[in-house]
Amino acid sequence: MSDGNEQDEDPIFAKQVLGQVEGLEVRIMDMSGANGSEPVEVVRGFGTIAHANAFARRYVRDSVDICRASGMDAKAVMEAWGMFGEDAEVVGAGDDAWCSATELADFAARRATDREERNWRIIDPRRDADDEEAEEEE
């Protein structure tokens, strides 16, 4: 992520933002209930709470917008997300964990206008691991 110059580092990855925390993970939950109470996926490798929170927020934002069809009002979007969407839970951050319930109504009411709001892939810690493996193979 960084070439060693901490001034250029994105704030969500900076250790000074809510500190470095071990054991952070984001659990991806299937809203349809097909997986029961078990997560569909558990994403690990977050160094800061801000990073885990940003990933979870973007993931849910993307899921809500994927469930949105043209002409749907906020209630219909919420219903579709509740049947077909995915939620993200930040674990290991205590009271500092982002919670989708605080922003779901806003997400349903308005489509994301900035692509970055939905781009969870760019901050996915698994991407960093894949990049490191590719560098080692070269």
Side-chain angles (χ1 to χ4, degrees):
M1 298 248 153
S2 175
D3 60 358
N5 186 350
E6 290 186 23
Q7 290 178 336
D8 293 339
E9 189 171 37
D10 189 314
I12 68 168
F13 304 112
K15 295 175 180 143
Q16 297 82 2
V17 179
L18 297 177
Q20 189 83 8
V21 178
E22 296 294 322
L24 286 170
E25 61 185 36
V26 174
R27 295 180 184 170
I28 307 300
M29 308 301 289
D30 180 353
M31 295 304 295
S32 73
N35 238 38
S37 62
E38 292 299 311
V40 174
E41 186 174 8
V42 177
V43 182
R44 295 181 178 90
F46 300 99
T48 65
I49 293 170
H51 184 191
N53 284 345
F55 176 85
R57 183 183 188 281
R58 288 179 183 199
Y59 195 96
V60 172
R61 182 62 162 141
D62 187 46
S63 179
V64 170
D65 275 1
I66 288 170
C67 292
R68 182 188 316 273
S70 181
M72 290 175 98
D73 64 10
K75 182 180 179 202
V77 172
M78 286 294 288
E79 288 173 1
W81 182 76
M83 291 188 292
F84 307 110
E86 293 179 318
D87 196 6
E89 300 174 353
V90 178
V91 178
D95 291 340
D96 293 323
W98 178 82
C99 178
S100 61
T102 61
E103 294 192 82
L104 270 175
D106 182 53
F107 289 174
R110 63 173 188 84
R111 181 180 301 278
T113 55
D114 181 355
R115 290 176 33 193
E116 283 298 307
E117 284 187 82
R118 296 178 59 181
N119 193 355
W120 54 268
R121 290 168 187 85
I122 194 76
I123 60 173
D124 189 333
R126 298 168 296 186
R127 178 179 171 189
D128 295 337
D130 291 345
D131 290 346
E132 288 172 12
E133 287 176 18
E135 286 177 12
E136 288 174 6
E137 291 175 4
E138 289 178 357

